[in-house]
Amino acid sequence: VLLGKCRPIIGNDPIMYIPMTIFERSRLLRWQMGWLPGKPKPCTNCNRINALTTRSHVNECFQIDANLNMYIDSFLNKLPSTPPKSSAYKFFLKTRWIVLSDFLFQLESICLPPDEIINPDSSNNQPFIDWIYSRS
């Protein structure tokens, strides 16, 4: 199972050095390491009885794979190490990054106690999106 989540190329994972907020990086790393969603607890996002926050349930509950049009781990493996040149690929990355960031924040809201959640600042520009558009 874990082998399927590995990057196709041996090297540094772009999540470690591409620009993003510390909260986004933390959520992505915890997702990749299997620490998010964490210990299964009742899901407050859906009305299903006995639904627990397992990885498979949150994928289905939030329909994240459908919203990304791919698996989360596949998207993370496609993150570029340099800003892309193609405007179509920039748009692809931007739209999926917004969906992924929103999903991980909502998931963290369900899985962590309310006092441990840091609400993203809506006035904060998103460093990843600025980075992908930095090359003309």
Side-chain angles (χ1 to χ4, degrees):
V1 173
L2 292 177
L3 190 58
K5 298 175 192 237
C6 293
R7 293 187 59 77
I9 301 169
I10 295 175
N12 293 332
D13 193 333
I15 290 175
M16 299 305 292
Y17 59 85
I18 57 176
M20 64 182 79
T21 67
I22 58 172
F23 309 112
E24 290 170 329
R25 191 177 322 278
S26 172
R27 291 178 187 127
L28 286 172
L29 289 172
R30 285 184 287 139
W31 175 266
Q32 281 192 320
M33 296 179 77
W35 296 350
L36 194 64
K39 184 178 178 182
K41 56 179 24 174
C43 181
T44 58
N45 187 58
C46 62
N47 296 327
R48 295 185 194 163
I49 298 172
N50 298 329
L52 297 176
T53 56
T54 61
R55 258 182 118 110
S56 61
H57 173 74
V58 296
N59 274 333
E60 182 183 325
C61 183
F62 286 95
Q63 299 177 347
I64 188 62
D65 294 336
N67 290 334
L68 284 176
N69 292 330
M70 64 176 48
Y71 296 113
I72 294 175
D73 297 311
S74 297
F75 174 72
L76 295 177
N77 286 338
K78 291 182 184 290
L79 288 176
S81 55
T82 59
K85 295 179 181 178
S86 161
S87 59
Y89 190 52
K90 289 177 184 183
F91 181 75
F92 167 85
L93 288 172
K94 177 185 174 184
T95 56
R96 279 148 184 88
W97 184 262
I98 292 169
V99 169
L100 181 64
S101 296
D102 186 47
F103 161 71
L104 290 174
F105 173 71
Q106 290 177 8
L107 180 58
E108 191 176 62
S109 312
I110 291 172
C111 297
L112 291 179
D115 59 331
E116 292 185 28
I117 301 166
I118 298 177
N119 198 358
D121 183 9
S122 60
S123 66
N124 180 20
N125 61 351
Q126 294 188 335
F128 178 75
I129 294 173
D130 291 344
W131 178 74
I132 61 174
Y133 283 100
S134 65
R135 182 181 283 182
S136 304

